[in-house]
Amino acid sequence: MAASSNSSLSGSSVSSDPEDYQPPIWKSYLYQLQQEAPRPKRITCPQEMESRPKYYGREFHGLISRERADELLAGTEGAYLIRESQRQPGTYTLALRFGGQTLNYRLFYDGKHFVGEKRFESVHDLVTDGLITLYIETKAAEYIAKMTTNPIYQHLGYTSLLRDKITHRLNRTRSEPKKVTFQQDEKVSPSPLSRRTTIKDGPEKHCNYEKIHNFKVHTFRGPHWCEYCANFMWGLIAQGVRCSDCGLNVHKQCSKLVPSDCQPDLRRIKKVFSCDLTTLVKAHNTPRPMVLDMCIKEIEHRGLKSEGLYRVSGFTEHIEDVRLAFDRDGDKADISGNIYPDINIIAGALKLYLRDLPIPVITYDVYSKFIQAAKITDPDSRLEAVHDGLLQLPPAHYETLRYLMTHLKRVTMYEKDNYMNSENLGIVFGPTLMRPPDQNTLTTLNDMRYQKLIVQLLIEQEDILF
């Protein structure tokens, strides 16, 4: 393709060959093709059709053949009409003239018009979008196939901003997950709780809270360019996808190539509760969710000796107030004793937060591994299996679980006052931290004892496993 066909909107001229592209210039070749695409021309029926559905206009020609439709559209690029199918009466066909031939598409209506995935308010918009797509895909098929080969993602827009954010991010590290080995002490009983444990620490590494983008189909108003390949996003509606967490705009095909480096924008995070754990900590630039830190701090300040801590329920409406306070005020939420003197309200809010996570702290991906680990009878092998499961957790989930278990271990140190040992806490937190992927009620009931056992083990062996 000629270089003049691919001049940027800023007036610079670059080659249309992706290999020759030098960022940062938005490529406008596809934009120019959209401007050149045929315009829709409605071919109206000269007479009123009694059988015309109310959602079609004068472009409806009734029960006519393909050959007749071809005659009516002949010689006019972009011309279209709607006819009732002769083969299947009661169904409708969009006949469209493009590339010197008549194309026929089964036409549907469910409140909006469509022939494929996209839904349109009018047939005219559907045809306009279709002509743009047909024209671009015909003229630039090879260009489109190559447009992701030399992305500008590392040079422009989102990634540049991301690098700036990362430079100033809170730089936290945690040790390489510990490899646990067990050595039998010949002088003591072989009970698993009396084993001497040797921990080999691996090299420290930066904690990389990797997060995939949350892409959703999006309709852009006005011209928009892909922030991955720098090419125009063509069409009238649903031209591409946008990450609902960070706002990155890309082609649907480019979204499959974008790295898992989403940096959520706080302005796009509408709430704290029920928000994905990794999304929340990345948006707030914290190693753990603020709810966890603030609630645990409050509980350890004034509630460790509270009888039935985490087992006794607080007033539901007050717990809901705490949830609303976090959603509204974030880390500025006031959960002090002056506002909520009953510590069970804060404990209840923490449990509600963990329970409402869309992906549990112990994620669906590793749920079965933990359940199988709980079924192992040999104590050493069971601990090894649990530890292996922990290593597969996403960093934000791992850190949340580690911090929570350290706290619950401290809770058990006040068992004489609060009557909450590791088993009791396992009963409370098992179903909160672990949920089966299929949400099957029978599976949940059958797994409850294993969920309890896993949490009990995590509390008792917290210093070994984390």
Side-chain angles (χ1 to χ4, degrees), residues 30-298:
L30 298 179
Y31 174 76
Q32 293 176 10
L33 285 184
Q34 175 162 311
Q35 298 301 100
E36 298 169 6
R39 298 293 184 262
K41 300 176 182 64
R42 184 174 69 152
I43 304 300
T44 59
C45 184
Q47 60 193 50
E48 185 65 34
M49 303 298 298
E50 293 184 2
S51 62
R52 174 167 60 89
K54 61 182 180 180
Y55 40 83
Y56 295 140
R58 294 295 297 272
E59 70 275 5
F60 181 75
H61 286 249
L63 198 64
I64 62 173
S65 66
R66 285 191 173 207
E67 292 74 21
R68 178 56 182 158
D70 190 51
E71 291 174 6
L72 292 170
L73 300 178
T76 309
E77 194 78 349
Y80 72 94
L81 59 81
I82 298 173
R83 63 181 179 86
E84 186 173 0
S85 173
Q86 289 184 324
R87 296 178 181 177
Q88 294 179 290
T91 64
Y92 305 99
T93 299
L94 172 67
L96 174 64
R97 193 73 176 178
F98 178 80
Q101 58 181 327
T102 300
L103 308 175
N104 292 277
Y105 300 93
R106 178 80 175 272
L107 188 59
F108 301 91
Y109 181 80
D110 62 357
K112 291 189 177 181
H113 303 275
F114 63 99
V115 296
E117 292 182 357
K118 294 184 178 182
R119 260 65 170 172
F120 297 85
E121 296 291 342
S122 69
V123 173
H124 185 273
D125 286 348
L126 184 155
V127 174
T128 303
D129 186 85
L131 287 170
I132 290 170
T133 301
L134 286 168
Y135 189 77
I136 289 178
E137 291 182 353
T138 300
K139 294 284 186 180
E142 185 177 352
Y143 181 89
I144 291 172
K146 293 180 179 179
M147 69 183 185
T148 60
T149 58
N150 187 24
I152 53 92
Y153 188 70
Q154 300 299 324
H155 307 282
L156 273 184
Y158 173 78
T159 305
S160 299
L161 294 174
L162 177 60
R163 279 201 300 268
D164 292 340
K165 289 180 181 179
I166 291 176
T167 301
H168 297 94
R169 282 187 67 178
L170 184 62
N171 191 11
R172 301 180 188 273
T173 62
R174 67 172 167 86
S175 299
E176 183 79 20
K178 299 170 182 178
K179 178 64 179 174
V180 182
T181 57
F182 298 93
Q183 186 176 29
Q184 179 71 45
D185 192 333
E186 298 177 354
K187 298 181 180 180
V188 296
S189 165
S191 166
L193 293 181
S194 61
R195 304 284 175 102
R196 192 168 69 192
T197 307
T198 303
I199 300 178
K200 297 179 180 179
D201 291 336
E204 287 192 347
K205 68 173 183 178
H206 289 283
C207 190
N208 178 22
Y209 281 32
E210 200 173 73
K211 181 189 179 311
I212 62 173
H213 290 272
N214 185 19
F215 286 120
K216 295 181 180 177
V217 175
H218 189 78
T219 294
F220 299 94
R221 304 302 176 190
H224 269 73
W225 273 255
C226 174
E227 294 177 63
Y228 182 80
C229 73
N231 282 287
F232 179 67
M233 294 195 281
W234 64 90
L236 279 192
I237 68 168
Q239 304 97 326
V241 294
R242 168 175 286 176
C243 177
S244 58
D245 294 333
C246 72
L248 181 68
N249 303 318
V250 295
H251 290 111
K252 187 175 181 180
Q253 59 266 47
C254 291
S255 68
K256 301 170 184 176
L257 304 173
V258 175
S260 299
D261 60 358
C262 177
Q263 180 65 35
D265 187 338
L266 270 177
R267 293 170 297 180
R268 296 178 179 275
I269 307 300
K270 304 300 182 185
K271 55 186 178 180
V272 171
F273 277 60
S274 302
C275 177
D276 172 67
L277 200 157
T278 301
T279 300
L280 187 69
V281 300
K282 289 204 73 170
H284 287 269
N285 200 25
T286 57
R288 298 173 298 275
M290 69 184 78
V291 179
L292 191 78
D293 282 2
M294 292 174 65
C295 287
I296 286 178
K297 181 180 178 181
E298 197 66 27

Side-chain angles (χ1 to χ4, degrees), residues 14-30:
V14 295
S15 169
S16 62
D17 186 348
E19 296 299 325
D20 296 334
Y21 174 71
Q22 295 295 323
I25 298 175
W26 298 114
K27 306 176 187 179
S28 62
Y29 174 59
L30 298 179

